[in-house]
Amino acid sequence: MYDYIDTSVTDGVARIELNRPNQFNALNRVMVKEIVSTLTMYDRDDEVRVLMLTGKGRAFSAGADIDEMVSETPISLELLNQFADWDQFASLKKPLIGAVHGYVFGGGFELALCCDLLIAAEGTTFAFPEVNLGVMPGAGGTQRLTKLIGRTRALRWLLTGERMAVDEAKACGIVIDVVHPEALESEAHKYATTLAAKPPLSLRMIKDAVNYAVDVPLREGMGYERKNFYALFASEDQTEGMCAFVDKRTPQFKGK
Ligand code: CO8
């Protein structure tokens, strides 16, 4: 059905696997469109509560497809408007878990930074090698990395193009957990199913408020958080969650 990805849904978790292993899952434009359109579709699917992104073969992704970019010009890039696809990652409402391994380079690193939580296999390396190609990151790398790890550390990796080991990525807060490569899939799925059992509207409002916090002053963010907090009191899951606590039973959340 798709040329460059595989998809499946299990236990409320939609899994999208990059499937271009012979090119280390280098991201061509069709592939990015496939990733974005399936994530958007699952984001609106009531059967799906959590999204998961992973890569087939020896790498999560070695970045944007260089062969596709080599002859571009400013005008061709402007007319392509490929970042309109990338911008849609920021509109996803459900939690997106990335399970990464091998190389997470360039656009692949930018794709990983679009995930809400990243779990990495031992031996994973991260890099922004664009500087060695005479360009720079263009899909959010300078912005998201800086907001996540701070200006000086971001500049270190972006200016040098050096490879960051997974332990460093964990120390910087880029990944939440490092696991044995053979356990990557199961550990990521475990995280995802844990979240899938939570009330979906709470997850949605929490992600929304945290994303807001990245861009606004504290006072404004506090007001925004409060509105989301109040809104959840209109949900059936708020009644269910609190009554279940009082009744000492396990809540059954419906996402309403
Ligand atoms: N683009 C296209 N093809 C690639 C890419 C890539 N990024 N990475 C690997 N490949 C291909 C190779 O060309 C090769 O193909 P073939 O077998 O047909 O010759 C195959 O994958 C295997 O690669 P290697 O032979 O190089 O394998 P090695 O094990 O020697 O090395 C590496 C693996 C280290 C991953 C190496 O391939 C490499 O350094 N790749 C390029 C990494 C890189 O520079 N990434 C940044 C790309 S630029 C970018 O991401 C900009 C993002 C801008 C925003 C997004 C816009 C869409």
Coordinates of all heavy atoms in Angstrom, one line a residue, residues 1-2 5-9 14-18 31-45 48 51-53 88-89 92:
M1 N 0.8 -1.2 0.0 CA 0.0 0.0 0.0 C 0.9 1.3 0.0 O 0.6 2.2 -0.7 CB -0.9 0.0 1.2 CG -1.9 1.1 1.3 SD -2.9 0.8 2.8 CE -3.9 2.3 2.7
Y2 N 2.0 1.2 0.8 CA 2.9 2.4 0.8 C 4.2 1.9 0.2 O 4.6 0.8 0.3 CB 3.1 2.9 2.2 CG 1.9 3.4 2.9 CD1 1.2 2.6 3.9 CD2 1.3 4.6 2.5 CE1 0.0 3.1 4.5 CE2 0.1 5.1 3.1 CZ -0.5 4.3 4.1 OH -1.6 4.7 4.7
I5 N 7.0 2.9 3.8 CA 6.7 2.7 5.2 C 5.9 1.4 5.3 O 5.2 1.0 4.4 CB 6.0 3.8 5.9 CG1 4.6 4.1 5.2 CG2 6.8 5.1 5.9 CD1 3.8 5.1 5.9
D6 N 5.9 0.8 6.5 CA 4.9 -0.2 6.9 C 4.1 0.3 8.0 O 4.7 1.0 8.9 CB 5.7 -1.5 7.3 CG 6.2 -2.3 6.1 OD1 5.7 -2.1 5.0 OD2 7.2 -3.0 6.3
T7 N 2.9 -0.1 8.1 CA 2.0 0.3 9.2 C 1.3 -0.9 9.8 O 1.0 -1.8 9.2 CB 1.0 1.4 8.8 OG1 0.1 0.7 7.9 CG2 1.7 2.5 8.1
S8 N 1.0 -0.7 11.1 CA 0.2 -1.7 11.8 C -0.4 -1.1 13.1 O 0.1 -0.1 13.6 CB 1.0 -3.0 12.2 OG 2.0 -2.6 13.1
V9 N -1.5 -1.7 13.5 CA -2.1 -1.2 14.8 C -2.3 -2.4 15.7 O -2.9 -3.4 15.3 CB -3.5 -0.5 14.5 CG1 -4.1 0.0 15.8 CG2 -3.4 0.7 13.5
A14 N -0.6 2.7 17.1 CA -0.3 2.7 15.6 C 1.2 2.8 15.4 O 1.8 3.7 15.9 CB -1.0 3.8 14.9
R15 N 1.7 1.8 14.7 CA 3.2 1.7 14.5 C 3.5 2.0 13.1 O 3.0 1.3 12.2 CB 3.7 0.3 14.9 CG 5.1 0.0 14.7 CD 5.4 -1.4 15.2 NE 6.8 -1.8 15.0 CZ 7.3 -2.2 13.8 NH1 6.5 -2.3 12.8 NH2 8.6 -2.5 13.8
I16 N 4.4 2.9 12.9 CA 4.8 3.3 11.5 C 6.3 3.0 11.4 O 7.1 3.6 12.2 CB 4.5 4.7 11.2 CG1 3.0 4.8 11.0 CG2 5.1 5.2 9.9 CD1 2.4 6.1 11.5
E17 N 6.7 2.1 10.5 CA 8.1 1.7 10.4 C 8.6 2.3 9.0 O 8.1 2.0 8.0 CB 8.2 0.2 10.4 CG 9.6 -0.3 10.3 CD 9.7 -1.8 10.4 OE1 9.1 -2.5 9.6 OE2 10.5 -2.2 11.3
L18 N 9.7 3.1 9.1 CA 10.4 3.5 7.9 C 10.9 2.3 7.2 O 11.6 1.5 7.8 CB 11.5 4.5 8.2 CG 11.2 5.6 9.2 CD1 12.3 6.7 9.3 CD2 9.9 6.3 8.9
M31 N 8.4 9.5 0.9 CA 8.4 8.9 2.2 C 7.9 9.8 3.3 O 7.1 9.4 4.2 CB 9.9 8.5 2.5 CG 10.1 7.5 3.6 SD 11.8 7.1 3.5 CE 12.0 6.1 5.0
V32 N 8.3 11.1 3.3 CA 7.9 12.0 4.3 C 6.4 12.2 4.2 O 5.7 12.2 5.2 CB 8.6 13.4 4.2 CG1 8.0 14.4 5.1 CG2 10.1 13.2 4.5
K33 N 5.9 12.3 3.0 CA 4.4 12.4 2.8 C 3.7 11.2 3.3 O 2.6 11.4 4.0 CB 4.1 12.5 1.3 CG 4.1 14.0 0.8 CD 3.5 14.1 -0.6 CE 3.7 15.5 -1.2 NZ 3.2 16.6 -0.3
E34 N 4.3 10.0 3.1 CA 3.6 8.8 3.6 C 3.6 8.8 5.2 O 2.6 8.5 5.8 CB 4.3 7.6 3.1 CG 4.1 7.3 1.6 CD 4.8 6.0 1.1 OE1 5.5 5.4 1.8 OE2 4.5 5.7 -0.1
I35 N 4.7 9.2 5.7 CA 4.8 9.2 7.2 C 3.8 10.2 7.8 O 3.0 9.9 8.7 CB 6.2 9.6 7.7 CG1 7.3 8.6 7.2 CG2 6.3 9.8 9.2 CD1 8.7 9.1 7.3
V36 N 3.8 11.4 7.2 CA 2.9 12.5 7.7 C 1.4 12.1 7.5 O 0.6 12.2 8.4 CB 3.2 13.8 7.0 CG1 2.1 14.8 7.3 CG2 4.6 14.3 7.4
S37 N 1.1 11.6 6.3 CA -0.3 11.3 6.1 C -0.8 10.1 6.9 O -2.0 10.2 7.4 CB -0.6 11.1 4.6 OG 0.0 9.9 4.2
T38 N 0.0 9.1 7.2 CA -0.5 8.0 8.0 C -0.6 8.5 9.5 O -1.5 8.1 10.2 CB 0.4 6.8 8.0 OG1 1.8 7.2 8.1 CG2 0.3 6.0 6.7
L39 N 0.4 9.2 10.0 CA 0.3 9.7 11.3 C -0.9 10.6 11.5 O -1.6 10.5 12.5 CB 1.6 10.6 11.7 CG 2.9 9.8 12.0 CD1 4.0 10.7 12.2 CD2 2.7 8.9 13.3
T40 N -1.2 11.4 10.5 CA -2.4 12.3 10.6 C -3.7 11.5 10.6 O -4.6 11.7 11.4 CB -2.4 13.3 9.4 OG1 -1.2 14.0 9.5 CG2 -3.5 14.3 9.5
M41 N -3.7 10.4 9.8 CA -4.9 9.5 9.7 C -5.1 8.8 11.1 O -6.2 8.9 11.6 CB -4.6 8.5 8.6 CG -5.7 7.4 8.5 SD -5.3 6.2 7.3 CE -4.0 5.2 8.2
Y42 N -4.0 8.3 11.7 CA -4.1 7.6 12.9 C -4.4 8.6 14.1 O -5.1 8.2 15.1 CB -2.8 6.8 13.3 CG -2.7 5.6 12.4 CD1 -1.5 5.3 11.8 CD2 -3.7 4.6 12.3 CE1 -1.3 4.1 11.0 CE2 -3.6 3.5 11.5 CZ -2.4 3.2 10.9 OH -2.2 2.1 10.1
D43 N -4.0 9.8 13.9 CA -4.2 10.8 15.0 C -5.7 11.1 15.1 O -6.2 11.5 16.1 CB -3.5 12.1 14.6 CG -3.2 13.0 15.8 OD1 -2.8 12.5 16.9 OD2 -3.5 14.2 15.7
R44 N -6.5 10.8 14.0 CA -7.9 11.0 14.0 C -8.7 9.8 14.1 O -9.9 9.8 14.0 CB -8.3 11.7 12.7 CG -7.7 13.1 12.6 CD -8.0 13.7 11.2 NE -7.3 15.0 11.1 CZ -7.0 15.6 10.0 NH1 -7.3 15.1 8.8 NH2 -6.4 16.8 10.0
D45 N -8.0 8.7 14.4 CA -8.7 7.3 14.4 C -9.0 7.0 15.9 O -8.1 6.9 16.7 CB -7.8 6.3 13.8 CG -8.3 4.9 13.8 OD1 -9.3 4.6 14.6 OD2 -7.8 4.1 13.0
V48 N -7.1 4.3 17.8 CA -5.7 4.5 18.1 C -5.5 5.5 19.2 O -6.1 6.6 19.2 CB -4.9 5.0 16.8 CG1 -3.5 5.5 17.1 CG2 -5.0 3.9 15.7
L51 N 0.9 6.9 19.0 CA 1.5 6.7 17.7 C 3.0 6.3 18.0 O 3.6 6.8 19.0 CB 1.5 8.0 17.0 CG 0.2 8.7 16.8 CD1 0.3 10.2 16.4 CD2 -0.7 7.9 15.9
M52 N 3.5 5.5 17.1 CA 4.9 5.0 17.3 C 5.6 5.0 16.0 O 5.1 4.6 15.0 CB 4.9 3.6 17.9 CG 6.1 3.1 18.5 SD 5.8 1.5 19.3 CE 7.2 0.6 18.6
L53 N 6.9 5.5 16.0 CA 7.7 5.6 14.8 C 9.0 4.8 15.0 O 9.6 5.0 16.0 CB 8.0 7.1 14.6 CG 8.3 7.6 13.2 CD1 7.2 7.2 12.2 CD2 8.3 9.2 13.3
Q88 N 3.3 19.5 9.7 CA 2.2 18.8 10.2 C 2.5 18.0 11.4 O 1.6 17.6 12.2 CB 1.5 17.9 9.1 CG 0.9 18.8 8.1 CD 0.1 17.9 7.1 OE1 -0.7 17.1 7.4 NE2 0.4 18.2 5.8
F89 N 3.8 17.6 11.6 CA 4.2 16.9 12.8 C 3.8 17.6 14.1 O 3.4 17.0 15.1 CB 5.7 16.6 12.9 CG 6.1 15.6 11.8 CD1 6.9 16.0 10.8 CD2 5.8 14.3 12.0 CE1 7.3 15.0 9.8 CE2 6.2 13.3 11.0 CZ 7.0 13.7 10.0
L92 N 0.1 17.1 15.5 CA -0.4 15.8 16.0 C -0.8 15.9 17.5 O -0.1 16.5 18.3 CB 0.7 14.7 15.9 CG 1.1 14.4 14.5 CD1 2.4 13.5 14.5 CD2 0.0 13.7 13.7

